[in-house]
Amino acid sequence: MSDDPDDIDLSALGDDDLVAQMHDDLYDGLKDEIVEGTEILLSRGWSADRVLNDALVEGMRIVGIDFRDGILFVPEVLLSANSMKAGMAILRPLLAETGVAAIGKVVIGTVKGDIHDIGKNLVAMMLEGAGFEVVDIGINSDVDKYLAALEEHKPDILGMSALLTTTMPYMKVVIDTMIEKGLRDDYIILVGGAPLNEEFGTAIGADGYCRDAAVAAEMAKSMVQDRRAAAPA
Ligand code: B1M
């Protein structure tokens, strides 16, 4: 806490006011305050996923609305995104704390032309929390990058993320290339991202569309189990 009299003492706020203040701080891109708020909520016994959903994801949803409406612009949203990432970095080990052997492996990346990675990172964290080993190949991933990662890591699942209506069709390019190379059926393919829906997932030939990170973790678990159960002994 600084000595500036205008500074708010976050630790003096009740839970609801602190969460509301964190939404404002995320909006204003105040990374240190988001880190502090995250730590305070955890120290008050909040679970990591409650902090994530109520304080961070909800705050980012508000940022998204004003970005859409032209009230916030790219530099401001980048500051918000960096603040969100700083909060997520504190939560990551807590969400991944399952202590069980990996139940499967996932390669995940954001598609070519798309640099949005907050949702993908969240999905990766939830998958780790569900017991998966996750190989994150990052943003702006072209088909060669996906194929190289599949070849190198031999995962059970390929996960693809897209946040733009202009980049989501690239998921089909990756799947079609896998079909051409005879690789498609070796992997479970899950897709997600705000502009997608179930119909799109089916149309491009994915095995599943995941509305959010919790759905991704559930779907990944059940699909890997089903596939193993169906495999010849
Ligand atoms: Co971007 N952006 N952005 N942006 N941005 C959106 C997506 C947009 C909807 C904003 C808006 O207009 N309302 C809009 C897209 C419109 C459209 O395509 N129809 C948009 C635009 C237009 C742009 C630019 C073109 C702006 C510009 O330059 N003029 C530009 C594009 C850059 C590029 O990619 N080439 C751009 C840039 C940026 C920033 C760099 C400033 C920043 C990204 C920072 C970063 O990610 N490191 C940014 C941000 C932050 C957003 C919004 C505000 C927030 C996205 C986010 O992080 N959401 C976003 C508005 C919005 O979505 N409300 C917006 C929080 C996150 C937890 O949710 O990503 O949906 P989400 O992930 C969820 C699910 O979708 C799902 O689970 C996640 C967790 O629950 N999921 C998966 C996601 N991926 C999955 C993969 C899976 C499974 C589930 O695999 C198995």
Side-chain angles (χ1 to χ4, degrees), residues 108-117 120 137-143 145-146 158-175 190-192 195-196 200 204:
I108 191 166
T110 302
V111 297
K112 184 179 168 187
D114 200 321
I115 62 168
H116 294 87
D117 66 355
K120 166 188 65 65
I137 62 168
I139 55 172
N140 195 21
S141 307
D142 65 14
V143 65
K145 194 171 170 190
Y146 281 112
L158 168 63
M160 289 189 278
S161 179
L163 264 288
L164 299 172
T165 45
T166 49
T167 58
M168 57 192 244
Y170 195 77
M171 292 176 164
K172 182 159 163 31
V173 173
V174 177
I175 296 177
L190 299 181
V191 295
L196 279 64
F200 176 79
I204 62 169

Side-chain angles (χ1 to χ4, degrees), residues 14-82:
D15 287 5
D16 289 350
D17 287 340
L18 175 55
V19 168
Q21 184 60 42
M22 285 174 74
H23 295 165
D24 288 350
D25 289 343
L26 200 60
Y27 193 96
D28 293 335
L30 301 177
K31 185 170 151 188
D32 292 346
E33 283 74 1
I34 290 299
V35 166
E36 191 185 344
T38 300
E39 282 167 345
I40 293 171
L41 288 174
L42 289 173
S43 75
R44 291 181 186 173
W46 279 46
S47 64
D49 63 334
R50 188 172 170 209
V51 179
L52 180 66
N53 290 321
D54 292 8
L56 302 184
V57 173
E58 174 57 17
M60 207 60 199
R61 191 186 66 79
I62 299 166
V63 170
I65 292 169
D66 279 4
F67 187 32
R68 178 197 63 204
D69 294 344
I71 297 165
L72 288 178
F73 296 96
V74 171
E76 293 149 322
V77 178
L78 265 179
L79 288 176
S80 300
N82 284 338

Side-chain angles (χ1 to χ4, degrees), residues 182-206:
L183 298 170
R184 167 65 186 93
D185 293 337
D186 296 346
Y187 306 96
I188 295 164
I189 301 180
L190 299 181
V191 295
L196 279 64
N197 57 29
E198 187 104 40
E199 203 183 352
F200 176 79
T202 307
I204 62 169

